[in-house]
Amino acid sequence: MLGEFNNYFWPVLVASITIIGIIGCYVLLKLTGKKGPENDDNSTSGHVWDGDLEEENNPLPRWWVGLFVITIIWGLIYLALYPGLILTDGYLKWSQLGQYQDEVKDADKKFAAMYKDFGQMDLEQFINNRKAKKIGKKIFLNNCAQCHGSDARGTTSFPNLTDHDWLYGGKMIDIKSSITNGRNGVMPALASIGTKKDLWDIAHYVKSLSDSKHHPMKALRGKEKFGICASCHGADGKGNQSIGAPNLTDHIWLHGESFEGIVHRITYGINNEMPAWNDRLTPEQIHLVSLYTRMLSKDNH
Ligand code: HEC
Ligand code: HEC
């Protein structure tokens, strides 16, 4: 009930004010378009200022009335064509969204020819084509930088795309697949595999894999419990790109390297998501931004 009230209150209020405004204009015109009340010789309104300054009793000039009438008629035509009253769509069915979509369609058509050439490029051609690089960079800055950073170096939980440490692989085909279909890195919550102390021991073992600071005895105990982790991260801890399980031996940490953090991740698991772009970018745009991403990591050889 209240929802319905809210749905209608503002549109009805706006429409009423608009219509009353137009009617008001018409009434004002009627009242002032005629001569004022009759008086003796009917040439002045009877108002006198400073002794001799009199107000003549003339109707509004015709051209002025004409402008007013045009304004009112224009207002009515506008309201009939466009959704000015909010309550109706208007005869032209115009909407901001519709106009935007038409413009996007036009732009897509305009750029289609240009993108067609770029859609076939290989990395070498891309690197030597300034225009293609510029567009690839623009697509990246507009769509990817908010998560991966404008330099693509990422931040906690958002991977660095320039460092050769790939969760899902760094070949063109892998990168393109990451972008086209998105990725979802899932590590289950594994609190049940041991006591809190066991989880700390495992964290020490994880740290030992990259030769980071750790307690050797605790790490040794943790190693015994690593079996379940090995099913995804590999017996050697080097990860598995088919499911995006990170390499734990390279001292590159996606989610942070503190003991507390690692224990937290084992306890509660991780669900990390990269959105899919197949419905937001064209295949050619995905190709270009993949080349751009690939180039960034190539530069870092
Ligand atoms: C909303 C945040 C977000 C946006 C926007 C985003 N990404 Fe990602 N991206 C991620 C996350 C998070 C991951 C890691 C997913 C995982 O851990 O499973 C990721 C992973 C990737 C990977 C795989 C990295 C690897 O190591 O294998 C690539 C490649 C990538 N993104 C490229 C892009 C490109 C190109 C764009 C723009 C078209 C983009 N991303 C936009 C969040 C984002
Ligand atoms: C079912 C597969 C699976 C199992 C089992 C698993 N993990 Fe993971 N783990 C993953 C995935 C996938 C990620 C990456 C999540 C993401 O995309 O952000 C991950 C991430 C991590 C990270 C974060 C790495 C970083 O760079 O910050 C650590 C640490 C980790 N796992 C340790 C463990 C330990 C220890 C165990 C065993 C107790 C374990 N994992 C069991 C799949 C698994």
Side-chain angles (χ1 to χ4, degrees):
M1 192 60 205
L2 195 66
E4 231 167 70
F5 174 78
N6 277 337
N7 280 347
Y8 284 106
F9 178 73
W10 291 108
V12 168
L13 185 71
V14 170
S16 313
I17 292 174
T18 310
I19 289 170
I20 290 170
I22 292 177
I23 294 174
C25 278
Y26 179 74
V27 171
L28 201 66
L29 195 62
K30 270 279 177 218
L31 291 178
T32 56
K34 282 196 292 226
K35 285 192 169 224
E38 305 274 320
N39 60 4
D40 297 347
D41 62 1
N42 202 19
S43 64
T44 70
S45 67
H47 297 143
V48 182
W49 292 273
D50 295 337
D52 57 356
L53 189 58
E54 291 180 317
E55 183 187 8
E56 292 199 2
N57 189 8
N58 290 332
L60 279 172
R62 281 197 143 304
W63 63 269
W64 183 261
V65 174
L67 277 184
F68 243 84
V69 171
I70 290 171
T71 308
I72 291 173
I73 293 174
W74 165 247
L76 291 173
I77 293 175
Y78 183 89
L79 289 175
L81 294 180
Y82 289 94
L85 288 179
I86 306 185
L87 290 171
T88 70
D89 288 343
Y91 181 72
L92 294 180
K93 301 263 178 274
W94 179 91
S95 74
Q96 242 171 354
L97 183 66
Q99 179 173 4
Y100 171 74
Q101 284 168 342
D102 286 347
E103 282 168 12
V104 168
K105 240 187 251 161
D106 286 349
D108 282 350
K109 231 186 269 161
K110 201 169 117 202
F111 291 124
M114 179 187 76
Y115 274 126
K116 211 169 154 222
D117 300 335
F118 293 158
Q120 313 294 332
M121 265 183 180
D122 66 22
L123 188 61
E124 283 312 310
Q125 290 168 327
F126 178 79
I127 288 172
N128 293 316
N129 188 317
R130 275 188 38 212
K131 193 166 175 200
K133 276 196 291 193
K134 212 169 134 192
I135 297 172
K137 182 174 185 176
K138 217 172 223 160
I139 299 172
F140 188 89
L141 291 178
N142 284 340
N143 300 285
C144 323
Q146 74 265 38
C147 287
H148 292 285
S150 51
D151 59 359
R153 286 178 190 280
T155 176
T156 308
S157 300
F158 298 103
N160 182 340
L161 302 176
T162 70
D163 64 357
H164 298 288
D165 180 42
W166 296 99
L167 291 162
Y168 299 94
K171 295 203 212 68
M172 259 306 273
I173 187 171
D174 306 318
I175 295 175
K176 231 171 149 170
S177 173
S178 292
I179 299 169
T180 307
N181 307 311
R183 297 288 192 185
N184 188 197
V186 181
M187 166 157 146
L190 293 166
S192 58
I193 63 170
T195 62
K196 189 103 193 162
K197 188 165 151 285
D198 294 333
L199 301 190
W200 275 86
D201 289 344
I202 297 175
H204 277 273
Y205 178 64
V206 168
K207 296 275 276 193
S208 76
L209 289 171
S210 54
D211 230 358
S212 310
K213 201 170 158 230
H214 65 279
H215 192 292
M217 277 306 293
K218 290 181 184 170
L220 211 59
R221 285 202 302 265
K223 186 177 182 183
E224 290 167 20
K225 292 261 177 195
F226 192 73
I228 184 150
C229 321
S231 61
C232 290
H233 291 280
D236 54 3
K238 287 196 192 302
N240 178 351
Q241 292 189 341
S242 64
I243 56 166
N247 183 345
L248 300 175
T249 70
D250 58 6
H251 205 80
I252 295 175
W253 302 93
L254 180 56
H255 298 281
E257 62 171 312
S258 71
F259 284 106
E260 290 84 356
I262 295 173
V263 170
H264 187 274
R265 253 141 257 146
I266 302 172
T267 309
Y268 297 104
I270 307 172
N271 189 349
N272 210 19
E273 212 165 324
M274 152 85 180
W277 295 89
N278 51 1
D279 56 351
R280 276 172 281 189
L281 297 176
T282 64
E284 290 80 13
Q285 288 172 323
I286 290 179
H287 187 71
L288 275 186
V289 80
S290 302
L291 286 166
Y292 179 74
T293 308
R294 183 73 191 80
M295 179 186 76
L296 293 179
S297 63
K298 189 172 186 286
D299 288 348
N300 267 355
H301 262 303

